[in-house]
């Protein structure tokens, strides 16, 4: 799983990082467990992280007028976050919730 993350980061920047750089970076990764229906991020909170799903399924959705609208599902090896909230440092317009028992790397 972490090999995928390393490859993604290497390809994103176009320059492979050294093993020493990767060791330093990976010390800051945190593996968290979420139970089915647990919220990873609630609508209205400000996003501060990017998540890599190690195992399980999560969904990104919004609530409006007491209805839920699901926009995206993420599965094992997928990244997910509320990008607008993360970049703009504004309250999120969406929630991220575990659909199954899920393990996520928090970046």
């Amino acid at each position: 799983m972490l090999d995928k993350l390393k490859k993604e980061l290497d390809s994103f920047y176009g320059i492979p990082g050294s093993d020493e750089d990767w060791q330093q970076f990976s010390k800051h990764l945190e593996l968290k467990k979420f139970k089915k229906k647990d919220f990873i991020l609630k609508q209205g909170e400000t996003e501060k992280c990017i998540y890599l799903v190690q195992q399980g399924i999560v969904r990104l959705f919004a609530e409006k007028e007491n209805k839920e609208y699901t926009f995206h599902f993420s599965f094992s090896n997928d990244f997910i976050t509320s990008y607008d909230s993360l970049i703009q440092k504004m309250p999120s317009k969406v929630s991220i919730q575990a659909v199954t028992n899920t393990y996520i790397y928090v970046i």
Side-chain angles (χ1 to χ4, degrees):
M1 173 60 68
L2 288 178
D3 288 339
K4 177 186 173 25
L5 177 58
K6 184 177 185 314
K7 286 177 187 176
E8 290 288 331
L9 292 173
D10 287 349
S11 69
F12 180 75
Y13 289 107
I15 302 169
S18 70
D19 288 340
E20 186 179 316
D21 291 340
W22 175 249
Q23 291 298 326
Q24 191 66 20
F25 172 78
S26 62
K27 288 179 187 177
H28 300 285
L29 297 175
E30 181 180 0
L31 182 63
K32 286 190 170 185
K33 180 182 180 181
F34 293 90
K35 294 180 184 174
K36 181 179 180 177
K37 296 191 177 185
D38 279 355
F39 282 90
I40 299 158
L41 176 75
K42 290 185 179 180
Q43 192 169 331
E45 295 176 345
T46 301
E47 182 64 273
K48 296 177 183 146
C49 302
I50 297 172
Y51 311 100
L52 174 62
V53 180
Q54 182 202 31
Q55 179 183 337
I57 303 169
V58 299
R59 71 180 180 131
L60 186 138
F61 72 99
E63 271 188 73
K64 187 173 183 180
E65 299 172 2
N66 293 324
K67 291 185 181 180
E68 292 182 354
Y69 300 90
T70 299
F71 300 108
H72 181 76
F73 288 96
S74 288
F75 304 90
S76 296
N77 297 322
D78 287 342
F79 290 96
I80 191 165
T81 192
S82 175
Y83 292 104
D84 291 343
S85 176
L86 180 68
I87 291 171
Q88 296 175 10
K89 297 180 177 34
M90 301 283 289
S92 178
K93 296 178 183 176
V94 297
S95 294
I96 302 174
Q97 183 182 42
V99 176
T100 63
N101 290 339
T102 302
Y103 289 91
I104 291 178
Y105 282 104
V106 179
I107 303 168

